[in-house]
Amino acid sequence: MRHQRGMALIIGLMLVAMATLVAVTLTFNLKLDQRRAQSLLTTQQSRQLALAAESWAAEILRDDLNNSSTDHLGEEWAMQLPPVPAEGFLVQGLLEDMQGRFNLNNLVGPDGKVVPEQLAQFQRLLVALQIDPRLAGIMGDWIDPDTQSGFPDGAEDDYYTGSDIPYRTPNTYITALTELQAVQGVDDEVFRKLMPYVSTLPQGTQINANTAPPPVLQSLSETMDIFQAESLAAEAAEEGFPDLQAFQTIVEEDALQTLTLSSDYFRLTVRVTIGTYSLTMYSLLFRDPAGQVRPLLRTFGSI
Ligand SMILES: [Ca+2]
Ligand SMILES: [Ca+2]
């Protein structure tokens, strides 16, 4: 009798345990669904906010073109805005001039050949940044359409197909800076050093002398030292050079031709935080001569 009661108790307990398990599973699934729905909503809200920030940045750039013919770092678009807190979210935005950088796509001309002046300029930039200047030739090979390694510095398919995970050179213009990480000689340190000074704009853009940082200015001439470059950059930061006169005695004629004082390409970085979720959007913006601004490339990252 006692034995039977004992069995009944165990079975009873097992039934309770099973029922509890079912209930817990149901609640857990319900919570998971709620969380999924919530996280989907948060992601969509963040994207909408990031896109709203992009429209706002476009408006700032449009207004800027109406009010000025040059672009420099003292202007409204270049101000880093304080984070904007609103109901339950936070938006931070930063606009940067991508023409203040060395455009890697300028290494190869429309004829598909590496441009010697651009190659030399990129080598000087690399030296100024304390990076092995051989990367310039390697970069040229990465972009140029042929598969013949440049001499003395270069790397084509024969190098990349021999790596642990073999791949080929794209042999075309670059659209994203992250691509650099696949190039021979670009490790994390080189990538970090190089990132703020290079861009991947359409081939043929000029460098804005009003926004270029000292190492980029220094790369314009073999004879310019970092002190000259720093003083030019400091002067430009005040209210921008109205013309290129200050550069005429310092850089050679062919390098002068690659300079401008205004920009058409800007990059917006916008970071949206909702609760513990945050999303970063990078948007490459093109401003045409009429002041119309449109995004050319958007990339999203989230943590
Ligand atoms: Ca301007
Ligand atoms: Ca090539």
Side-chain angles (χ1 to χ4, degrees), residues 23-44:
V24 167
T25 314
L26 280 175
T27 320
F28 181 71
N29 283 345
L30 193 68
K31 281 226 160 82
L32 210 62
D33 279 346
Q34 278 173 349
R35 296 243 350 216
R36 274 199 204 108
Q38 183 60 45
S39 117
L40 193 66
L41 192 66
T42 308
T43 314
Q44 280 171 350

Side-chain angles (χ1 to χ4, degrees), residues 134-275:
R134 282 182 297 181
L135 181 59
I138 293 168
M139 212 55 238
D141 268 349
W142 184 261
I143 301 170
D144 75 7
D146 68 51
T147 49
Q148 252 95 56
S149 282
F151 184 81
D153 314 320
E156 291 280 2
D157 285 350
D158 46 0
Y159 169 80
Y160 297 102
T161 50
S163 57
D164 288 348
I165 303 167
Y167 51 98
R168 292 181 183 279
T169 42
N171 293 329
T172 186
Y173 292 117
I174 310 173
T175 52
L177 277 177
T178 46
E179 202 182 299
L180 290 186
Q181 286 167 305
V183 176
Q184 184 195 355
V186 180
D187 57 16
D188 287 350
E189 195 196 339
V190 169
F191 184 68
R192 261 200 314 275
K193 275 189 190 172
L194 203 53
M195 274 285 274
Y197 303 102
V198 290
S199 66
T200 54
L201 299 177
Q203 192 275 334
T205 57
Q206 292 172 300
I207 290 179
N208 184 351
N210 274 333
T211 59
V216 174
L217 290 177
Q218 197 189 350
S219 76
L220 290 168
S221 159
E222 231 172 295
T223 54
M224 203 189 311
D225 62 34
I226 191 66
F227 303 107
Q228 267 178 304
E230 276 170 357
S231 98
L232 282 169
E235 211 178 320
E238 298 269 307
E239 48 188 25
F241 291 109
D243 54 51
L244 288 167
Q245 214 176 346
F247 292 83
Q248 265 160 1
T249 52
I250 305 174
V251 307
E252 297 197 4
E253 185 54 34
D254 59 348
L256 208 57
Q257 297 301 320
T258 67
L259 292 180
T260 178
L261 295 164
S262 62
S263 295
D264 305 323
Y265 297 91
F266 298 84
R267 185 180 68 180
L268 170 73
T269 304
V270 52
R271 193 181 163 100
V272 179
T273 309
I274 301 181

Side-chain angles (χ1 to χ4, degrees), residues 102-161:
F102 179 84
N103 180 7
L104 292 170
N105 288 327
N106 283 351
L107 284 170
V108 177
D111 60 353
K113 300 270 183 286
V114 170
V115 182
E117 294 81 10
Q118 293 289 322
L119 187 77
Q121 187 181 343
F122 188 38
Q123 282 166 341
R124 290 194 291 270
L125 175 63
L126 293 169
V127 171
L129 298 174
Q130 293 176 313
I131 298 172
D132 188 341
R134 282 182 297 181
L135 181 59
I138 293 168
M139 212 55 238
D141 268 349
W142 184 261
I143 301 170
D144 75 7
D146 68 51
T147 49
Q148 252 95 56
S149 282
F151 184 81
D153 314 320
E156 291 280 2
D157 285 350
D158 46 0
Y159 169 80
Y160 297 102
T161 50

